[in-house]
Amino acid sequence: MLTEISNARDAALAEIVVADALDLVASLTTRLAGKKGDLALLKTKLGSLDTVEEKKAAGKSINEAISAVTAALDERREVLTLRALEERVEAERLDLTEFVVKPSRGHAHLVTQAWERLENVFIGLGFQVAEGPEVETDWHNFEALNMGEGHPARGEFDTLFVDHIPPGGRAGTTLLRTHTSPVQIRTMLESEPPIYIVAPGRVFRRDTPDATHMPVFHQIEGLVVDRGITMADLAGTIEAFTKAFFGPGFTSRLRPSYFPFTEPSAEFDIQRPNGEWIELGGCGMVHPNVLRAGGLDPEEWSGFAFGFGIDRMAKERHGVEDIREMYTNDIRFLEQF
Ligand code: FA5
């Protein structure tokens, strides 16, 4: 009898292991482990056994066999349920990523690229990077730069004033900075010489957009204040910068000019390898009045300053014909750089 039970159990387990569908497991559950299942039916044969001990042992063995078969059925059901779920998830998965064209990695705007390259070149020449606010006082933007109230040079800047009256101040004295030169004043007031800084940033003028002008554009200011600084240091720095930024085939020149905040003043031009000259910005020796406004004694300290248009440099470097192209944000234009 015991052999019969263990044979029936083994046969049942063998069937269960290969059952490959949940409805098959359900029918096996009834046939093998149900109340009238194969194993349970063996109980009806217990009466034919001779001794109570034999009946007990066989009854126990049948119950153990039913438990083992039930456990195997449960396990098989679990495995198949999980598999069915996985198959359903796989079948119903939605691919929500649809690209008309393969996406490509973007890159910085060409003005940002020029800005970062300029910073790197000047850091390589030993300069530090300084910053100032885009909304300025007219004292920092004009007055401290030797352009007092009524100075004709103020008119050239086509200033955008801001509707803000500072505490204890007057209307019409807050503006969007027209150049990065106020950073010269802020740097001199905040730090002690020797000063070797560049200050790139956004500036604003009421200029009508055309091929070389934008009302919002970018400049990079340079300021050096130390003992015994001369115009030769300025010319040497500009030449070193020209070669580092544009390439060894380029050269530079200073052309006499006028800025209220530098004396003497010059325009800074660069020459392309094809011989053509391009104007890039202004420069000069820091005016004694500007040093004084920055809290420095002009008898002790001297320095030079320069300011170039970053957008114009990017335009020149890449041969862009119209500066406005850089701001219409046409991806077909921008992705070329
Ligand atoms: C200045 O702004 C002086 N602060 C530069 C300076 C600094 C001189 C330190 C001396 C010492 P200017 O207005 O020329 O100067 O402007 C400098 C450069 O900014 C120009 O040469 C040009 O490259 C660029 N620029 C001026 N206006 C515009 C504009 N509307 N759009 C794009 N670039 C411009």
Side-chain angles (χ1 to χ4, degrees), residues 29-42:
T29 306
T30 318
R31 180 156 66 77
L32 302 174
K35 280 209 173 87
K36 291 185 179 158
D38 290 356
L39 284 164
L41 283 178
L42 285 176

Side-chain angles (χ1 to χ4, degrees), residues 35-107:
K35 280 209 173 87
K36 291 185 179 158
D38 290 356
L39 284 164
L41 283 178
L42 285 176
K43 286 184 182 167
T44 58
K45 293 188 179 174
L46 290 176
S48 63
L49 292 172
D50 297 335
T51 65
V52 177
E53 277 69 33
E54 276 178 316
K55 285 179 188 168
K56 259 192 184 172
K60 189 169 168 241
S61 177
I62 290 170
N63 285 340
E64 282 170 359
I66 291 175
S67 300
V69 168
T70 307
L73 284 163
D74 288 347
E75 194 190 319
R76 194 68 197 146
R77 198 177 300 109
E78 216 171 286
V79 168
L80 291 174
T81 307
L82 195 67
R83 189 187 295 168
L85 183 71
E86 280 170 1
E87 281 170 5
R88 213 177 114 199
V89 168
E90 186 58 31
E92 292 179 3
R93 206 167 75 172
L94 279 181
D95 184 0
L96 298 175
T97 53
E98 187 186 351
F99 296 109
V100 179
V101 283
K102 197 165 168 281
S104 59
R105 204 179 164 83
H107 59 72

Side-chain angles (χ1 to χ4, degrees), residues 276-304:
E276 200 184 333
W277 287 99
I278 307 146
E279 181 188 315
L280 272 195
C283 58
M285 300 305 291
V286 181
H287 195 288
N289 289 349
V290 175
L291 289 169
R292 275 188 214 103
L296 300 175
D297 178 0
E299 297 301 323
E300 186 179 359
W301 302 104
S302 59
F304 65 76

Side-chain angles (χ1 to χ4, degrees), residues 164-242:
H164 167 77
I165 305 175
R170 288 181 294 121
T173 56
T174 309
L175 46 91
L176 299 181
R177 65 178 178 188
T178 58
H179 52 173
T180 43
S181 299
V183 186
Q184 290 185 32
I185 304 300
R186 291 186 176 272
T187 308
M188 284 190 271
L189 290 173
E190 280 160 23
S191 51
E192 296 288 313
I195 293 169
Y196 290 79
I197 59 110
V198 284
R202 193 178 292 144
V203 302
F204 310 82
R205 292 184 195 175
R206 216 163 55 81
D207 281 349
T208 308
D210 63 23
T212 52
H213 292 83
M214 285 296 289
V216 179
F217 61 103
H218 304 82
Q219 287 187 338
I220 183 162
E221 192 78 12
L223 174 68
V224 166
V225 180
D226 207 338
R227 288 194 168 88
I229 295 292
T230 70
M231 195 87 180
D233 297 309
L234 168 60
T237 304
I238 296 251
E239 180 64 11
F241 157 75
T242 301

Side-chain angles (χ1 to χ4, degrees), residues 234-253:
L234 168 60
T237 304
I238 296 251
E239 180 64 11
F241 157 75
T242 301
K243 294 215 167 348
F245 187 81
F246 291 97
F250 282 74
T251 186
S252 66
R253 76 175 173 199

